[in-house]
């Protein structure tokens, strides 16, 4: 059974489905790449077929882009650890329906730095439901812990459900994983609740994302 974290909290109006995160729900447009080191240093990324299947709506993958992902600094779950875009790349994925996803990967200068980054992201995800509710009293947020994955140096999967006082309901799956000096986050979003989350398929996606980092 997944662990559940409940808090009576709030959320910032960042522009995604219900306002669930800063980057908005529909990931997609990719700005011009930022200078962030040679492509040879870039971690490997997921491709569209690696994402959980969305019946009737195939995934489209954006380009892999260096630097901070759009509006990630506003994201109450990820912005504090990933917002500066240092040594990082991202790739957005979208469908023609309400489902979108993003992968962010960071290449740190040392294993110790990667361990620290992983721990910081993991802690920020665990605490983001409280920060969401504090930011907006009209939003109720619930976090579920779907556990660790045994891949490379490890990964962890979470689910976040947000619901506004007007009834808008969004579900988000987030994972963080590490391989050596590289850390990745996979972020999947859709309108709905925990019953709509493809947890088993997303766990497989996370394993693939971590395996691709090398």
């Amino acid at each position: 059974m997944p662990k559940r974290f409940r808090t009576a909290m709030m959320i910032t109006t960042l522009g995604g489905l219900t306002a669930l995160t800063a980057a908005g729900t529909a990931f997609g447009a990719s700005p011009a790449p930022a200078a962030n080191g040679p492509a040879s240093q870039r971690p490997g990324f997921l491709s569209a077929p690696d994402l959980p299947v969305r019946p009737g709506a195939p995934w489209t993958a954006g380009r892999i882009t260096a630097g901070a992902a759009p509006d990630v600094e506003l994201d109450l779950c990820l912005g504090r650890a990933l917002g500066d875009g240092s040594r990082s790349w991202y790739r957005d994925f979208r469908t023609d329906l309400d489902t979108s996803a993003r992968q962010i990967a960071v290449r740190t200068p040392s294993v110790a730095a990667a361990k620290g980054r992983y721990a910081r992201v993991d802690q920020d995800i665990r605490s983001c439901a409280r920060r969401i509710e504090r930011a907006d009293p009209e939003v109720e947020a619930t976090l579920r812990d779907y556990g660790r994955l045994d891949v490379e140096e490890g990964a962890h999967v979470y689910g976040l459900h947000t619901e506004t006082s007007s009834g808008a309901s969004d579900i988000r799956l987030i994972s963080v994983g590490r391989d050596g000096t590289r850390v990745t986050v996979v972020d999947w979003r859709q309108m709905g609740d925990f019953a709509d989350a493809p947890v088993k398929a997303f766990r497989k996606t996370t394993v693939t994302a971590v395996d691709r980092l090398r």
Side-chain angles (χ1 to χ4, degrees):
M1 291 291 291
K3 300 175 186 175
R4 300 186 185 186
F5 299 83
R6 261 312 279 202
T7 53
M9 11 196 328
M10 337 151 92
I11 181 173
T12 70
T13 49
L14 323 163
L17 290 179
T18 63
L20 168 130
T21 61
T25 297
F27 298 126
S30 296
N36 206 25
S40 62
Q41 297 182 4
R42 186 182 71 198
F45 271 74
L46 295 167
S47 58
D50 300 316
L51 276 294
V53 173
R54 182 70 162 99
W59 288 97
T60 298
R63 61 182 175 179
I64 299 169
T65 304
D71 298 325
V72 70
E73 73 279 0
L74 302 177
D75 190 323
L76 294 179
C77 293
L78 302 174
R80 298 193 302 181
L82 298 175
D84 65 356
S86 177
R87 295 173 176 261
S88 72
W89 293 258
Y90 69 92
R91 187 175 208 177
D92 288 340
F93 302 85
R94 62 177 179 82
T95 69
D96 290 336
L97 299 178
D98 60 344
T99 309
S100 60
R102 170 177 286 163
Q103 182 184 4
I104 298 173
V106 181
R107 184 179 186 272
T108 66
S110 68
V111 169
K115 288 180 178 179
R117 182 68 68 100
Y118 176 98
R120 175 64 184 277
V121 173
D122 188 69
Q123 180 56 42
D124 282 359
I125 295 171
R126 283 177 170 269
S127 63
C128 74
R130 290 191 296 275
R131 284 180 277 117
I132 285 170
E133 290 186 339
R134 288 172 188 156
D136 188 343
E138 299 299 315
V139 177
E140 188 177 87
T142 304
L143 184 73
R144 288 188 182 179
D145 183 344
Y146 289 115
R148 287 181 54 82
L149 299 176
D150 184 16
V151 54
E152 299 303 337
E153 275 73 56
H156 209 126
V157 176
Y158 298 92
L160 177 69
H161 175 245
T162 57
E163 186 171 3
T164 67
S165 58
S166 63
S169 178
D170 299 329
I171 183 65
R172 181 178 181 185
L173 295 175
I174 316 171
S175 62
V176 56
R178 183 175 73 85
D179 182 4
T181 61
R182 302 180 181 201
V183 176
T184 191
V185 169
V186 184
D187 188 357
W188 173 99
R189 308 180 195 188
Q190 182 179 296
M191 290 182 354
D193 57 25
F194 286 114
D196 301 302
V199 176
K200 183 177 180 180
F202 185 77
R203 288 167 66 88
K204 183 178 179 181
T205 295
T206 297
V207 169
T208 301
V210 176
D211 279 339
R212 292 263 176 89
L213 285 175
R214 63 173 69 90

